[in-house]
């Protein structure tokens, strides 16, 4: 573990190195899916199925990339590296979005999304009072 921390103290210099660290981060958050007997569950191709055991977070992603802040995730100048980070951040957002369907985690996930992703922020313009139903829908309402 300490070796991983020491290796990640510097920002990745190439897209290949960045991709490797991103993949390692997501893999570190999963473990094999096991059945009631403790045996690994395999998919149709015979590969071990994995499940998320730890949440994906932007801070965890930034740390795994050797960055000193979450904001630094968006500071890469190389276009390939920016794209890799955008895809990783999108994966974190997808993970959180899926958790919205869990009654137990809904409030926390909603807060996480609204704080970390601009499009999830409440917008005062989006109130029911301002919304006008299209004419073809109005005829079906009571």
């Amino acid at each position: 573990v300490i070796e991983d921390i020491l290796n990640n103290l510097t920002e990745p210099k190439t897209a290949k190195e960045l991709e490797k660290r991103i993949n390692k981060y997501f893999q570190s958050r999963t473990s094999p899916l096991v059945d009631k007997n403790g045996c690994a569950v395999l998919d149709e191709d015979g590969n071990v199925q994995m499940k998320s055991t730890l949440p994906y977070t932007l801070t965890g992603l930034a740390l795994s990339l050797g960055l000193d802040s979450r904001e630094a995730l968006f500071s890469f100048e190389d276009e390939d590296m920016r794209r890799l980070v955008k895809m990783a951040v999108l994966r974190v957002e997808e993970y959180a979005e899926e958790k919205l369907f869990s009654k137990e985690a809904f409030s926390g996930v909603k807060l996480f999304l609204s704080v970390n992703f601009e499009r999830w922020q409440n917008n005062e313009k989006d109130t029911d009072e301002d919304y006008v139903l299209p004419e073809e829908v109005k005829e079906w309402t009571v």
Side-chain angles (χ1 to χ4, degrees):
V1 173
I2 292 184
E3 184 178 320
D4 286 343
I5 293 170
L6 292 175
N7 288 337
N8 285 339
L9 287 178
T10 60
E11 291 184 22
K13 304 292 186 231
T14 65
K16 187 86 168 155
E17 182 184 354
L18 177 65
E19 183 175 24
K20 183 178 176 183
R21 287 192 194 183
I22 289 170
N23 289 337
K24 189 172 184 179
Y25 170 72
F26 287 115
Q27 288 171 356
S28 75
R29 315 307 273 176
T30 62
S31 63
L33 182 63
V34 294
D35 63 17
K36 63 182 178 181
N37 298 319
C39 298
V41 176
L42 306 178
D43 64 16
E44 297 170 348
D45 299 324
N47 301 313
V48 175
Q49 289 187 357
M50 301 297 282
K51 67 175 182 172
S52 296
T53 51
L54 295 171
Y56 300 155
T57 66
L58 294 176
T59 305
L61 179 62
L63 285 169
S64 72
L65 300 179
L67 305 176
D68 60 4
S69 70
R70 292 178 327 150
E71 293 75 23
L73 285 167
F74 307 100
S75 66
F76 288 97
E77 293 189 19
D78 178 79
E79 191 171 325
D80 290 336
M81 293 174 86
R82 267 198 321 268
R83 183 178 178 283
L84 287 168
V85 169
K86 282 182 180 181
M87 295 302 293
V89 169
L90 193 59
R91 191 167 171 188
V92 171
E93 184 180 7
E94 176 201 27
Y95 173 86
E97 190 176 344
E98 287 175 353
K99 296 296 180 190
L100 286 173
F101 294 96
S102 167
K103 184 170 57 171
E104 297 82 27
F106 180 82
S107 295
V109 171
K110 186 176 174 188
L111 175 64
F112 171 81
L113 287 167
S114 68
V115 167
N116 291 292
F117 299 96
E118 191 174 320
R119 67 189 190 89
W120 287 91
Q121 294 172 1
N122 287 335
N123 193 342
E124 291 180 22
K125 294 183 227 169
D126 294 337
T127 64
D128 289 338
E129 296 170 11
D130 295 337
Y131 186 75
V132 178
L133 287 172
E135 290 300 319
E136 58 272 5
V137 175
K138 281 185 184 178
E139 64 186 66
W140 296 101
T141 61
V142 178

